[in-house]
């Protein structure tokens, strides 16, 4: 079984390596081989695009998304999509890469955004959100769940529309709690 993993280096280095797991009898052995790819910064999230042979890495401190070829294990390009990419997700159909940009600057809410890259033609759009987004994940229906510091949003990348699912504050008050006196 082959598994792609990010291997942290010292300081701000991150490497990409292939790990091979093989079993012999009842004993499992593992070996690591591959090339280290220098990516200065902090990788906060990765997504594998098997159809294109690419790996997308949200480079939080460098403020970009690094694009790595899985066949050559080399950095092939970067995408500047906003401020600090905190999370990213590939749509189930492989059409959209959605990137959350965490820019928690006092009084400047418009810097918090969700960026959408249409991977068919590489067009990009940024959509402002009111609170710093922490991450994103797609459901099988192609709708993304965006989690911010204050709310959970449903996001449709084709139309760029958001729908508030619930707030973090309402989650705390809606949890059932048993009365200890009963």
């Amino acid at each position: 079984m082959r598994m792609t993993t990010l291997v942290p280096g010292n300081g701000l280095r991150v490497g990409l390596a292939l790990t091979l797991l093989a079993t012999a009898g009842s004993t499992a052995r593992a070996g690591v081989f591959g090339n280290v790819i220098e990516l200065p910064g902090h990788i906060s999230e990765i997504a594998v695009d098997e159809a294109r042979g690419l790996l997308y890495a949200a480079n939080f401190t460098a403020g970009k998304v690094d694009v790595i070829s899985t066949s050559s294990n080399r950095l092939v390009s970067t995408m500047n999509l906003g401020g600090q990419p905190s999370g990213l997700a590939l749509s189930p159909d492989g059409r959209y890469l959605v990137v959350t940009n965490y820019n928690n600057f006092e009084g400047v809410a418009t810097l918090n955004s969700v960026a959408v890259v249409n991977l068919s033609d590489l067009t990009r759009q940024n959509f402002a959100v009111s609170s710093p987004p922490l991450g994103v994940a797609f459901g099988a229906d192609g709708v993304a769940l965006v989690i911010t510091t204050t709310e959970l949003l449903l996001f449709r990348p084709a139309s760029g529309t958001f729908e508030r699912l619930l707030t973090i504050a309402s989650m705390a008050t809606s949890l059932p709690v048993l009365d200890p006196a009963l």
Side-chain angles (χ1 to χ4, degrees):
M1 173 172 75
R2 267 187 4 190
M3 182 185 319
T4 305
T5 59
L6 284 174
V7 180
N10 54 15
L12 296 177
R13 293 177 47 197
V14 173
L16 179 68
L18 295 177
T19 305
L20 178 65
L21 299 175
T23 59
S26 62
T27 308
R29 288 184 261 167
V32 178
F33 60 94
N35 299 324
V36 172
I37 301 168
E38 297 286 332
L39 298 175
H42 174 80
I43 304 301
S44 57
E45 185 90 59
I46 62 169
V48 178
D49 186 347
E50 291 183 76
R52 292 177 182 85
L54 298 172
L55 181 128
Y56 305 102
N59 198 327
F60 187 80
T61 53
K64 60 187 176 181
V65 174
D66 293 319
V67 183
I68 300 155
S69 167
T70 57
S71 61
S72 68
N73 292 337
R74 297 194 187 283
L75 179 68
V76 292
S77 67
T78 59
M79 293 186 271
N80 294 314
L81 299 170
Q84 299 167 310
S86 55
L88 52 79
L90 187 65
S91 63
D93 63 3
R95 182 172 180 191
Y96 299 107
L97 179 68
V98 175
V99 180
T100 57
N101 289 299
Y102 180 94
N103 290 304
N104 194 16
F105 299 113
E106 189 73 31
V108 191
T110 57
L111 293 177
N112 300 308
S113 68
V114 173
V116 177
V117 179
N118 183 330
L119 295 172
S120 304
D121 58 11
L122 296 180
T123 57
R124 303 169 186 186
Q125 287 186 288
N126 272 346
F127 301 94
V129 290
S130 59
S131 301
L134 302 172
V136 61
F138 272 97
D141 59 358
V143 177
L145 175 67
V146 176
I147 300 171
T148 75
T149 56
T150 61
E151 60 192 348
L152 278 68
L153 305 168
L154 294 178
F155 177 64
R156 291 171 176 76
S159 61
T161 57
F162 291 93
E163 175 187 342
R164 178 183 283 164
L165 189 59
L166 52 97
T167 65
I168 302 297
S170 70
M171 287 173 56
T173 59
S174 66
L175 294 174
V177 178
L178 294 175
D179 186 349
L182 295 177

